[in-house]
Amino acid sequence: MLERPEKAVLGEVKWYLLRLALEALEEEMKVIEKVEVDTVTDVVCDVCLCSTRVENGGLEFATLSALWGYGTRHDGERYELHLCEDCFFQAVADIRKHRRIENLFNDDYDHNDNELGLMATDDYFHNGGISKP
């Protein structure tokens, strides 16, 4: 003869069945779809046409941009150039050279412009690093 299960065992079975039912209902409420997402996988330098991807798989590039406003010769024009590290520092060197030539006879000009444009150093985590005056 079969013995009747105790109330505690029946209670556990009820809770187990209720939990299974809730999990099934929860799964029915989720809408799952595959979605195609566009993402940037590389940025090509606008000067040398090389990839800016570095060894760790990240992208390291500089952006030179301008948006010319009302009253300028290029009113309404927007420019954006992506530069690899080598081309960026070549551009900075060219700007320094041009600056020296423009100020060749200016007595107030500080000829030590090796930090032209440098905003911070030791800024490894993009948190401001050590600011330059």
Side-chain angles (χ1 to χ4, degrees):
M1 179 168 164
L2 290 173
E3 290 185 28
R4 185 171 184 186
E6 296 201 19
K7 286 185 180 182
V9 173
L10 284 175
E12 287 179 26
V13 170
K14 286 180 183 177
W15 280 112
Y16 176 75
L17 292 174
L18 181 61
R19 191 177 77 213
L20 286 177
L22 287 174
E23 287 175 2
L25 182 61
E26 205 174 80
E27 287 300 315
E28 287 179 14
M29 296 175 74
K30 292 179 183 175
V31 178
I32 299 173
E33 296 178 15
K34 291 191 186 251
V35 179
E36 188 175 318
V37 178
D38 291 334
T39 185
V40 176
T41 58
D42 199 1
V43 173
V44 175
C45 176
D46 287 320
V47 176
C48 68
L49 305 177
C50 291
S51 170
T52 60
R53 182 173 300 285
V54 291
E55 288 179 21
N56 69 2
L59 301 173
E60 290 293 331
F61 60 92
T63 304
L64 175 63
S65 65
L67 173 59
W68 299 104
Y70 182 74
T72 64
R73 289 180 300 183
H74 297 277
D75 185 5
E77 293 179 4
R78 180 187 308 223
Y79 292 83
E80 183 172 284
L81 299 170
H82 298 99
L83 304 172
C84 68
E85 187 176 12
D86 290 339
C87 290
F88 172 78
F89 284 104
Q90 182 60 54
V92 170
D94 292 344
I95 291 169
R96 283 185 190 131
K97 181 179 176 183
H98 184 75
R99 184 178 185 195
R100 280 187 224 111
I101 292 169
E102 288 293 319
N103 290 286
L104 191 61
F105 300 107
N106 182 351
D107 293 333
D108 297 328
Y109 172 66
D110 179 10
H111 292 278
N112 183 14
D113 58 2
N114 290 332
E115 295 182 353
L116 176 67
L118 181 63
M119 300 297 291
T121 59
D122 298 328
D123 193 7
Y124 305 110
F125 303 106
H126 305 285
N127 61 356
I130 300 171
S131 296
K132 291 292 182 178

